[in-house]
Amino acid sequence: DDYRAHERTFQILTQVAGRAGRGEEEGRVIIQSYNPEHVVIQDAKKQDYKLFFGTEIAIRKQLRYPPSCDIILIGVSSKSEIETKNICDIVYKGLKDKIETQNLKILLYKPVPSPIDKIKNKFRWRIIVKCKTDDEIINELTNVLNVANEKTKNSKNETRVSININPSSML
């Protein structure tokens, strides 16, 4: 679920493999995997950073992942699952209307439960947006966030709306 998974896997494998052996003694690395033919494992096996980077950057460009595009993660959490979904719908419809009326270049995904959909008795939903972030996008996100905050101002469900640009974790 995280677009950085390949990068983290490559980094960990090459770092651990680099510690094998001491001085004159040659080291040996054993990697256990369900998919040993995966390109990331093969590139890490070869310790080929340039090959890994070239492949990874091409995939990210094709899938509209950073750095060729920004990912904006809009999260909504609340003690009430109904309120969580309703606020997500308000945010989604607000953004969708702005995209259609202002012809913004944004890829907007429908609200869905987060991969970990409940933490500390709070339901969690999210909306993913892909675009190049600029002042216009930031202003629209701020406007939508203000509308959502207005709707939750008197809520007793501790409803929270957050926006994270290029999050370090997609969970």
Side-chain angles (χ1 to χ4, degrees):
D1 194 35
D2 192 344
Y3 68 92
R4 292 186 175 116
H6 291 169
E7 179 182 346
R8 288 183 178 140
T9 300
F10 182 84
Q11 185 268 331
I12 288 169
L13 292 177
T14 54
Q15 180 183 14
V16 170
R19 296 181 185 276
R22 294 283 180 245
E24 299 283 325
E25 292 182 40
E26 202 171 293
R28 185 171 146 188
V29 176
I30 299 171
I31 299 171
Q32 183 176 350
S33 170
Y34 286 112
N35 190 0
E37 299 306 316
H38 193 284
V39 67
V40 174
I41 295 185
Q42 291 302 311
D43 291 349
K45 179 180 169 183
K46 296 174 196 168
Q47 298 276 306
D48 192 338
Y49 174 76
K50 287 182 181 181
L51 180 61
F52 168 75
F53 178 80
T55 304
E56 184 66 12
I57 210 75
I59 290 169
R60 287 189 183 192
K61 186 174 183 177
Q62 184 178 17
L63 295 175
R64 297 183 70 183
Y65 287 154
S68 65
C69 188
D70 293 311
I71 292 179
I72 301 167
L73 189 63
I74 302 171
V76 179
S77 65
S78 176
K79 289 182 177 179
S80 165
E81 187 172 19
I82 293 168
E83 188 166 316
T84 304
K85 188 173 179 338
N86 287 343
I87 295 300
C88 262
D89 288 339
I90 290 168
V91 170
Y92 176 78
K93 287 175 185 161
L95 283 174
K96 190 174 180 185
D97 289 346
K98 294 288 184 186
I99 290 167
E100 290 171 354
T101 58
Q102 296 183 10
N103 228 5
L104 298 174
K105 293 181 179 178
I106 295 177
L107 184 56
L108 177 66
Y109 294 90
K110 290 183 179 179
V112 294
S114 294
I116 302 172
D117 62 346
K118 193 173 184 185
I119 295 178
K120 294 183 181 178
N121 292 321
K122 286 191 173 187
F123 295 92
R124 301 170 66 236
W125 278 59
R126 70 181 185 179
I127 299 168
I128 295 175
V129 180
K130 291 183 181 180
C131 63
K132 268 297 189 188
T133 306
D134 59 17
D135 288 341
E136 183 180 14
I137 300 297
I138 297 294
N139 288 337
E140 292 308 327
L141 288 170
T142 302
N143 292 339
V144 169
L145 187 59
N146 288 337
V147 169
N149 284 334
E150 198 57 39
K151 297 279 186 193
T152 62
K153 189 166 49 174
N154 297 321
S155 172
K156 294 176 183 166
N157 293 310
E158 299 175 22
T159 302
R160 183 172 172 240
V161 180
S162 63
I163 296 177
N164 197 340
I165 300 173
N166 296 329
S168 59
S169 172
M170 297 290 287
L171 297 177

